[in-house]
Amino acid sequence: MNIHISPNPAEMGQHAGKAGIELIRHAVQAQGSANVILATGTSQFETLNQLLEEKTIDWSKVTVFHLDEYIGLPITHPASFRKYLVERFFNQVPQLKSYHLIDGEKDPEKECERLSSQIQAHPIDVAFVGIGENGHLAFNDPPADFETEKPYLVVNLDHACRMQQLGEGWFPNLEAVPTQAISMSIRQIMKSKAIICSVPDLRKAQAVKACMKGEVTNIHPASILQTHPNCQVFLDQPSASLLSNH
């Protein structure tokens, strides 16, 4: 695991985006196409902006998969991750080869099966991820399932996760935050050839310390990234503030 620390979220996102761009470009050059996972949430704003700045990638050779989505939330809701990706990325990037969004309004188990069959046919070259305040990776809250081979699964959202979504301003009150989601599994994320993890903000500092420097445990789900052969973590000074050697 390589950790990069920037002074602020804007520079962090620039560095994370540029690192991801190089990986995408290399995959397209080497095999004629690239398969990418995109995360959402406030932590990914700057990284996605940097990807959109890139003019040398042939996006028509790139297939995008989606990390997670709330169950029962319409795409028109401000917190919808489908809405987030469509507005912040898909509508602004040149034509993609294809993209596969999670529809949390359909039967969750059938949607997991549909997505799983799609992603199994597209080995992932680059996964863009973040880390939650509770250490979650995608919506795999602690204690996360490190064993399932299912690419996508239905998960329950814990109190800390739901409080984070409320605190970030996506919902008017805690009761409005869904209690379940469809999430890409830990093992599916870890099958990615390369992982770019962007984690800004002081509120993530404790999770960063636990996941980057603590033991690998499903109580701190993103700690599994320590075992990945090609994972780059991008932090800003506040999120890195509890790391002893920053």
Side-chain angles (χ1 to χ4, degrees):
M1 175 185 287
N2 293 312
I3 298 176
H4 311 268
I5 301 173
S6 300
N8 55 63
E11 288 191 35
M12 180 212 73
Q14 289 171 3
H15 292 306
K18 287 178 180 177
I21 287 163
E22 287 304 310
L23 291 164
I24 296 170
R25 184 186 294 118
H26 175 75
V28 171
Q29 289 175 344
Q31 61 203 26
S33 64
N35 300 316
V36 176
I37 296 167
L38 289 183
T40 53
T42 56
S43 67
Q44 302 298 310
F45 287 163
E46 302 296 343
T47 302
L48 288 179
N49 286 342
Q50 187 62 42
L51 291 181
L52 291 171
E53 289 291 317
E54 179 55 42
K55 306 304 180 188
T56 64
I57 289 177
D58 184 352
W59 291 104
S60 70
K61 297 180 179 178
V62 178
T63 296
V64 172
F65 285 87
H66 177 189
L67 260 186
D68 46 28
E69 180 62 284
Y70 299 104
I71 288 176
L73 206 67
I75 195 170
T76 54
H77 192 285
S80 165
F81 293 134
R82 287 178 292 164
K83 176 183 175 69
Y84 177 114
L85 284 175
V86 168
E87 292 181 353
R88 293 182 177 275
F89 194 77
F90 298 143
N91 284 351
Q92 299 185 52
V93 77
Q95 184 67 44
L96 291 162
K97 182 176 181 180
S98 65
Y99 60 85
H100 303 274
L101 290 174
I102 303 168
D103 189 344
E105 297 180 86
K106 293 183 177 178
D107 179 286
E109 295 298 342
K110 288 183 179 178
E111 183 67 353
C112 287
E113 292 175 8
R114 181 186 73 82
L115 293 161
S116 294
S117 65
Q118 293 284 355
I119 201 166
Q120 286 173 330
H122 296 81
I124 300 300
D125 297 294
V126 190
F128 292 89
V129 302
I131 296 175
E133 291 176 30
N134 64 353
H136 71 200
L137 188 59
F139 264 147
N140 298 287
D141 288 339
D145 189 339
F146 277 8
E147 303 305 320
T148 183
E149 290 288 348
K150 291 182 179 179
Y152 284 88
L153 64 161
V154 174
V155 295
N156 296 316
L157 305 181
D158 70 12
H159 181 74
C161 172
R162 295 173 70 231
M163 285 298 293
Q164 177 182 329
Q165 309 309 315
L166 176 63
E168 290 181 358
W170 299 108
F171 296 93
N173 52 60
L174 184 60
E175 291 69 32
V177 183
T179 58
Q180 287 190 311
I182 293 173
S183 177
M184 190 177 291
S185 69
I186 294 289
R187 287 206 169 187
Q188 180 60 47
I189 294 168
M190 292 294 287
K191 289 177 182 178
S192 306
K193 295 174 188 174
I195 296 177
I196 301 290
C197 181
S198 303
V199 195
D201 301 336
L202 182 63
R203 61 195 171 87
K204 302 285 185 76
Q206 192 63 51
V208 166
K209 179 183 178 181
C211 294
M212 301 296 103
K213 298 299 184 181
E215 66 175 315
V216 176
T217 167
N218 67 348
I219 301 304
H220 303 296
S223 65
I224 195 73
L225 296 176
Q226 294 180 41
T227 68
H228 194 277
N230 186 8
C231 177
Q232 297 185 65
V233 178
F234 294 85
L235 309 173
D236 63 2
Q237 286 287 351
S239 66
S241 61
L242 298 181
L243 298 182
S244 58
N245 60 347
H246 86 283

